[in-house]
Every structure is written in structure tokens, then in C-alpha cells.
Amino acid sequence: MSAKSPVIVDLRFHPEQVREGLKNAFPGREVINRADPSSRDRDLSGVDYAVLWKPLDDLFLRAKDLKVLFSGGAGVDHVLQLPGLPDLPLVRFVDHTLTTRMSEWIVMQCLMHLRQHVAYERQRAKKVWAPLTQPEASELTVGIMGMGVLGTDAARKLKIMGFNVVGWSKSKKDIQGVETFAGPELDAFLGKADILVGLLPLTDETRGIFNAGLFSKLRRGGALGAPIFINAGRGGSQVEADLLKALQTGVLKGASLDVFETEPLPSASPFWTMDNLEMTPHSAADSDIRALFAHVERQIERFEAGQALENLVSRDAGY
Ligand code: NDP
Ligand code: OXD
């Protein structure tokens, strides 16, 4: 029996967790962890698989025999932009650990806006004790742009909390209890949303989609007074100058951002100090390292058994 191909791990996140996770991962295979300085000059010829997130520049120059690439996250915009990217199957990370984390974040942000967390924080800073009028979740409609793995799960959990949910995607979906819209039906969808949630991949079509024109089409006069924008997809989909203005002029009442045009967010960004904004450092749904390696192992087993790889990325669609 021929020896199992090694696996290259070229991940630019959580180095300690990666090292720990690798202790029990890929049984029977050698692992070349490129975060480990002693692995940098290793001969990478003859290696079939690479797991990557912002890999070192020389990966594709040195690993000439790769057969399958695995994204360290659900999004693949960072992989598709890599110079010298070989024309190989690309598998993205889909796993309940990631999906659950994202839904927790989305539900938390929707609830924080519903329960006027930002306003209470402002009052607290001034030692003001003043209960605000409290709408119910059922008075609000959350519109999710991107009804894929993450959007669909978030929709289900928001429904359980009592929100009305509508969804928009490229192709029409049939999801129980959720009114769905596709492609050209965008304006009709926006007109229903009190809270807009972005869970879109970054592609040529979605770059800059969250702009002044779009914000102006959201439903106004609902139970929160003005619309809320929440984005955990990619920062490249939001036009930050437009977003800033919308937040300053009341076109948007508030926002929650996990992703930004430039990350880490520059210290000069006005977003840091805005008091109608919740923000987190691109951590809405970090990849669980053990789950990531288990998922890659499963896909390698399928590949070597001649079965189809799951969660393959379409190069044409860009996600
Ligand atoms: P999926 O590929 O499962 O879903 C993407 C959805 O976006 C699909 O419903 C797709 O439509 C829709 N879509 C894509 N392009 C368009 C378009 N031009 N017009 C309308 N709809 C469009 O991805 P996931 O749900 O797994 O992940 C979504 C994104 O979330 C990732 O790409 C990543 O950028 C981001 N992410 C962020 C994380 C964070 O921590 N902040 C963590 C993980 C992911 P259709 O169904 O018709 O194809
Ligand atoms: C991802 C992310 O795409 O964490 O998985 O952004």
C-alpha cells in the first residue's frame, strides 16, 4: 500500500490552537504546518492537499503537485484572489460549529437592537434611569441578504425568537415560514426589512452592494423608527462612506458590524467612536480548529475513495 500523502497546513490564524489541534488530526499522515519556522524550507513536492487561510506567498510555487485545496473558513474571496492559484477543486468550510456561532451572533445583534441596548448604554454613561418603549420581535421584519448555509440557519433561529424573516438570494428558495426573494426582486425585499442582515460572500456582484441607494430603500417608520444594518458577510460589500453618512443622518438608526473594508479596522476610523454602532473584530463565526481538521479529513477520505467532494466552490460564481 502506498504511503498517505502529507497535508500542508498554511493558516494565518490562531497559531496556538492550530498547533494544539494538529496533535490529534490527520492520523497516519505527515502534516507540514507552515506556521512552524522549521517547516518553511520543506520540500513540498508530492503533497496532494493544502488547508489555507492567507497562506505564505510561495505556497503554490513550491507545492506543485497539489490535488485539492481547502479553505480554512466558509468564505473563499481571500483564496480566489491569491496570485498563482492553481486550477484545482476548492472546498470551503461548512460545519455546524461555524453555522451555530454565526447564528448566535446574528440573533444577539438583532436582540440588542430590538431591546435598545445601544440607547441604554448611552443612558448608563450619563446615569440616566429611563425605561424606553419596548416593541416586540413580532413587530419587526429581519431581511437576510444571502440565504445560504448561514442565512438559512439564522432565519430559522430568528423565527424562534419571534421575528418575521424575509430572505434574498441569487436563486429562489423555498423555506417554511420565510418569504423569499431572488435577484431582481431586491427592492421589494428591502421595502419589508426593518433590520437588514448581510450574509453575502464577496464577489464582483456583491462588492459595494450595501450603499446609500440600498439603505434608502429599507422600510422606514417601523417599530424601531428607522432601519438597522447588520453585516457579518464581508466588509468589501459595504461602502463605508455611505454607511457612515447613513448612521450620522438617521437614514439608519444603528448598525452592527463584524467585517470592514480594511481589517484590522484602522485606528483613524470614525466607526470606533460612533455611539449607534455595535462592532466585533471579524469574530462572528471563527473556524473551530478541531472541526476544521475533522472536516478536511472527511473530505480527503471521500476524495481518496473516489467519492465527490462536498461544499465545492464555483470559480465562476466566486463562492
Ligand atoms: P453560502 O455560499 O452557503 O451562501 C451564500 C448566499 O449568498 C447564497 O444564498 C447565495 O445565493 C447568495 N448570493 C451570492 N451572491 C449573490 C448575488 N449576487 N445576489 C444574491 N444572492 C447572492 O455561504 P455561507 O452562508 O456559508 O457564508 C456566507 C458568507 O459569510 C461567506 O462567504 C463569508 O464571506 C461570510 N462569513 C463570515 C464569517 C465571519 O466570521 N464574519 C464567518 C463565516 C462566513 P444562492 O443560494 O442562490 O447561490
Ligand atoms: C470565514 C470567516 O469566511 O471567518 O469563515 O470570515
Side-chain angles (χ1 to χ4, degrees):
M1 208 176 94
S2 61
K4 289 178 169 182
S5 164
V7 178
I8 297 169
V9 172
D10 206 338
L11 298 168
R12 295 282 89 62
F13 55 53
H14 307 311
E16 274 315 314
Q17 287 176 34
V18 169
R19 215 166 285 133
E20 199 52 40
L22 282 175
K23 286 185 182 158
N24 298 309
F26 305 110
R29 279 176 210 280
E30 188 196 355
V31 175
I32 303 165
N33 179 7
R34 301 200 81 213
D36 179 354
S38 66
S39 293
R40 292 276 163 82
D41 299 327
R42 275 287 310 272
D43 177 14
L44 302 181
S45 57
V47 180
D48 293 353
Y49 312 109
V51 192
L52 45 116
W53 184 270
K54 303 183 179 162
L56 298 175
D57 288 348
D58 61 352
L59 175 66
F60 301 129
L61 290 172
R62 293 159 54 95
K64 288 288 188 195
D65 300 314
L66 290 171
K67 293 195 174 66
V68 185
L69 304 176
F70 297 91
S71 168
V76 291
D77 46 296
H78 68 103
V79 179
L80 297 176
Q81 290 160 7
L82 288 172
L85 178 71
D87 188 12
L88 294 172
L90 170 62
V91 175
R92 65 191 198 93
F93 184 38
V94 175
D95 188 77
H96 75 94
T97 51
L98 191 146
T99 307
T100 303
R101 285 173 189 188
M102 181 58 87
S103 292
E104 286 167 358
W105 189 88
I106 299 290
V107 172
M108 175 177 76
Q109 298 303 330
C110 288
L111 287 175
M112 290 215 289
H113 290 286
L114 169 72
R115 299 308 307 252
Q116 308 183 75
H117 178 76
V118 167
Y120 281 129
E121 285 293 294
R122 259 187 249 131
Q123 290 189 178
R124 181 175 164 209
K126 294 184 200 144
K127 300 189 178 165
V128 172
W129 181 276
L132 302 168
T133 311
Q134 184 54 60
E136 286 184 21
S138 62
E139 294 172 59
L140 294 177
T141 297
V142 180
I144 303 179
M145 286 177 75
M147 290 298 286
V149 174
L150 302 182
T152 304
D153 191 68
R156 198 168 57 79
K157 289 171 180 165
L158 287 165
K159 293 274 312 170
I160 293 169
M161 293 310 302
F163 291 98
N164 301 303
V165 181
V166 295
W168 179 78
S169 47
K170 202 180 243 192
S171 56
K172 187 83 173 170
K173 308 284 180 222
D174 184 8
I175 302 169
Q176 205 191 356
V178 177
E179 191 181 358
T180 56
F181 298 79
E185 299 167 338
L186 179 59
D187 285 5
F189 158 87
L190 293 171
K192 292 192 177 251
D194 298 294
I195 300 181
L196 182 70
V197 172
L199 277 174
L200 287 166
L202 182 62
T203 66
D204 291 344
E205 289 175 12
T206 63
R207 187 174 295 281
I209 194 169
F210 301 118
N211 55 35
L214 180 141
F215 297 138
S216 72
K217 292 175 186 160
L218 291 167
R219 178 166 183 250
R220 298 197 69 78
L224 292 178
I228 303 288
F229 174 58
I230 295 176
N231 193 13
R234 281 290 180 268
S237 296
Q238 70 208 10
V239 178
E240 291 187 355
D242 290 6
L243 177 53
L244 190 63
K245 194 161 175 206
L247 285 166
Q248 286 166 337
T249 56
V251 169
L252 291 173
K253 179 178 182 186
S256 296
L257 302 176
D258 183 58
V259 289
F260 296 88
E261 280 176 0
T262 304
E263 295 177 6
L265 184 65
S267 57
S269 169
F271 288 137
W272 286 107
T273 50
M274 293 195 73
D275 68 0
N276 53 351
L277 179 75
E278 304 277 352
M279 52 181 265
T280 46
H282 199 143
S283 56
D286 274 356
S287 294
D288 178 286
I289 301 295
R290 283 172 213 266
L292 171 64
F293 293 150
H295 142 92
V296 173
E297 254 170 56
R298 267 193 313 276
Q299 295 307 317
I300 290 178
E301 274 167 27
R302 290 180 68 90
F303 182 73
E304 294 185 345
Q307 294 167 358
L309 290 163
E310 295 168 313
N311 305 306
L312 272 176
V313 171
S314 154
R315 293 282 178 105
D316 289 340
Y319 64 97

